Amino acid sequence: MSLLEIRDLRVVYPNGLEALKSVSLTAEAGEVIAIVGRSGAGKSTLLRCINGLQSPTSGSIRLEGRELTTLTPRELQAVRRRIGFVWQEFNLVDRLPVITNVLCGRLGHAGEGPSLLGYFDRSHREIALRNLERVNLLERADQRADRLSGGEKQRISIARAITQEPTLILADEPVASLDPELAWQVMEDLARVAREDRLLALINIHQVALAKHFVDRVIGIARGSVVFDGPIKDFDDAAMTRVYRFDKPAIPAHPIEMEEALHER
Ligand code: ADP
């Protein structure tokens, strides 16, 4: 059994747009995977289905052998504790200290969890502090989150996600708002902690050139279908073309993607 098994996933939005056609993939614990494709290809829709934020029209998603598409809301809530999310815009609570933001990763741990924000018991704090240290931001623990740079904020959100002790991390364009140097550090931290904890990490990312340094495998999506799935070393020009080029290009093409596609060629 694979950690994640997706079969024939299809999503048709209420306006009739078929965002995912028949997506199938499997992924294992410890894999760091980039999901690439043009803007509008269906990458976010795929992550939202896995996270239970979007109901598929048909198909199956199994996480640790458990079918996610037929869960009750309460069951889904329990499964979502096993899934850490890293968002493009960080989603930190700006006015709270960094450590409290990281401790939010413990909120889903019912029973053993904190009763009130600010009154976390020692074991939770120890986990959170250890994870802050793993992203080299321990010295920021008591600062307000809004005092940090964008790169630091994203590394805090990675610390929060792993503090949840998930089996799967979903990252939706985690470095799209960051300068290249900060983006490098964020990807390095994300890939390293995922490997150390043997998590599966699925990372939606525009910057193929950056992703290449950190991921094991690439899944390329074009117009709602998987058009490449393989090790990063096999993601060559032909694969790049399949993912980023069409005979009838959707307009407007995302400038960053086009620049990257041309640069890579
Ligand atoms: P990506 O993450 O690759 O940019 P998305 O999954 O966000 O792509 O979107 C895939 C397609 O679905 C796009 O054409 C987008 O405009 C469309 N789409 C996304 N969300 C909705 C929605 N809630 N309703 C209708 N269409 C949507």
Side-chain angles (χ1 to χ4, degrees):
M1 179 184 79
S2 297
L3 179 67
L4 179 69
E5 297 177 344
I6 297 179
R7 290 272 166 266
D8 300 325
L9 191 68
R10 181 164 182 257
V11 172
V12 182
Y13 282 116
N15 63 0
L17 190 132
E18 191 179 25
L20 293 179
K21 288 185 176 139
S22 180
V23 167
S24 296
L25 60 95
T26 59
E28 312 296 336
E31 277 193 290
V32 178
I33 301 176
I35 301 176
V36 302
R38 294 166 63 129
S39 212
K43 306 181 296 295
S44 299
T45 302
L46 175 61
L47 290 202
R48 287 204 306 271
C49 287
I50 299 170
N51 200 24
L53 293 173
Q54 172 68 47
S55 301
T57 307
S58 58
S60 148
I61 303 173
R62 283 177 177 269
L63 181 65
E64 298 178 290
R66 189 139 192 229
E67 178 61 51
L68 302 191
T69 56
T70 52
L71 297 180
T72 64
R74 178 185 280 261
E75 289 169 334
L76 185 61
Q77 210 180 355
V79 167
R80 284 174 74 179
R81 286 187 206 126
R82 313 284 289 157
I83 304 176
F85 217 99
V86 176
W87 314 82
Q88 178 175 343
E89 295 303 336
F90 326 127
N91 283 8
L92 301 181
V93 184
D94 278 345
R95 64 191 166 74
L96 289 180
V98 163
I99 182 66
T100 312
N101 271 282
V102 177
L103 277 162
C104 287
R106 302 305 294 171
L107 283 171
H109 288 249
E112 60 180 274
S115 50
L116 279 172
L117 213 57
Y119 291 91
F120 293 93
D121 82 21
R122 181 185 286 270
S123 63
H124 294 293
R125 287 185 74 87
E126 278 168 6
I127 294 169
L129 288 168
R130 193 168 65 240
N131 287 330
L132 264 180
E133 192 167 21
R134 292 172 71 198
V135 296
N136 290 313
L137 288 171
L138 188 56
E139 77 283 6
R140 303 286 203 182
D142 297 322
Q143 287 189 5
R144 273 173 60 129
D146 56 6
R147 305 291 288 275
L148 305 182
S149 72
E152 288 170 336
K153 283 183 183 171
Q154 197 57 299
R155 285 154 58 210
I156 298 297
S157 84
I158 291 167
R160 177 184 56 191
I162 54 174
T163 294
Q164 214 178 311
E165 299 185 324
T167 52
L168 165 64
I169 285 196
L170 303 175
D172 200 358
E173 296 290 357
V175 297
S177 315
L178 304 177
D179 293 342
E181 200 179 318
L182 302 179
W184 182 279
Q185 182 68 57
V186 165
M187 284 299 290
E188 194 168 61
D189 280 334
L190 180 55
R192 177 176 40 78
V193 297
R195 289 194 177 102
E196 284 171 357
D197 292 356
R198 288 213 32 91
L199 309 177
L200 168 60
L202 295 181
I203 308 170
N204 279 359
I205 183 164
H206 274 111
Q207 298 95 323
V208 178
L210 174 66
K212 270 185 175 170
H213 296 278
F214 300 104
V215 305
D216 311 306
R217 171 176 161 196
V218 176
I219 295 174
I221 299 187
R223 291 180 174 174
S225 298
V226 173
V227 295
F228 178 88
D229 184 354
I232 184 72
K233 68 174 171 47
D234 294 345
F235 193 66
D236 54 13
D237 282 0
M240 190 82 177
T241 304
R242 253 183 287 153
V243 175
Y244 285 97
R245 287 263 166 95
F246 305 109
D247 40 14
K248 273 195 237 153
I251 45 171
H254 193 293
I256 297 174
E257 288 168 353
M258 284 313 287
E259 198 184 304
E260 276 224 327
L262 294 171
H263 174 72
E264 294 274 327
R265 291 181 60 76

